[in-house]
Amino acid sequence: MPAVKSNRPVNLSMGQVLDVNLKSPVAIASILHRLSGVIVFLLVPVLLWLLDKSLSSPEGFAEVQAIFGGFIVRFIVWVFVAGLIFHFIAGVKHLLADMGFAEELESGRLAATISLILSAIGIIAAFVWIVL
């Protein structure tokens, strides 16, 4: 048995990582904040193209209206709006933490839980408004 503790990194399986992280609302909020940022980043060009097309001419506007008649496009727009809603609410939570609010363990968990609940309400409302 070595007298010195090894500082070598430990390789954890994805199951072990998820088992630990899915129990913490702070970890869930952090992971979803990153994921929502990626979603928004990837879908901005698509929506900018639709905006450009709709503003190009009356015919372009009619084409975009026809495109939005399909479920798939409305669903993609909802995914973008859902990502934007969550990213905004989690971003405000992070900004408040940077200013010194909800930095402690318990208040951070409460703030993460509140941000998850507010985001869920907004995302469900956006689904009803956009998709249905």
Side-chain angles (χ1 to χ4, degrees):
M1 186 156 206
V4 179
K5 184 177 178 183
S6 173
N7 288 330
R8 294 179 60 197
V10 177
N11 295 323
L12 300 175
S13 70
M14 186 55 74
Q16 291 171 313
V17 171
L18 291 176
D19 186 45
V20 171
N21 287 332
L22 291 180
K23 294 177 183 172
S24 169
V26 176
I28 293 169
S30 177
I31 292 166
L32 289 177
H33 185 241
R34 292 172 186 177
L35 180 64
S36 67
V38 170
I39 288 169
V40 169
F41 178 77
L42 293 176
L43 289 179
V44 161
V46 175
L47 294 177
L48 284 176
W49 174 79
L50 286 171
L51 177 64
D52 178 57
K53 185 83 169 157
S54 71
L55 295 176
S56 64
S57 66
E59 294 81 21
F61 183 77
E63 285 181 43
V64 172
Q65 273 186 320
I67 290 171
F68 271 94
F71 174 79
I72 298 295
V73 175
R74 287 195 322 256
F75 184 77
I76 291 170
V77 170
W78 172 73
V79 168
F80 174 78
V81 170
L84 199 60
I85 288 170
F86 186 82
H87 200 73
F88 176 76
I89 291 174
V92 169
K93 180 191 81 66
H94 283 296
L95 288 174
L96 289 173
D98 288 344
M99 292 189 302
F101 300 103
E103 286 184 321
E104 297 79 26
L105 182 62
E106 286 305 314
S107 60
R109 283 185 181 152
L110 179 63
T113 303
I114 290 171
S115 71
L116 289 169
I117 291 170
L118 288 176
S119 297
I121 292 169
I123 290 169
I124 291 168
F127 183 82
V128 170
W129 179 50
I130 296 171
V131 177
L132 298 182

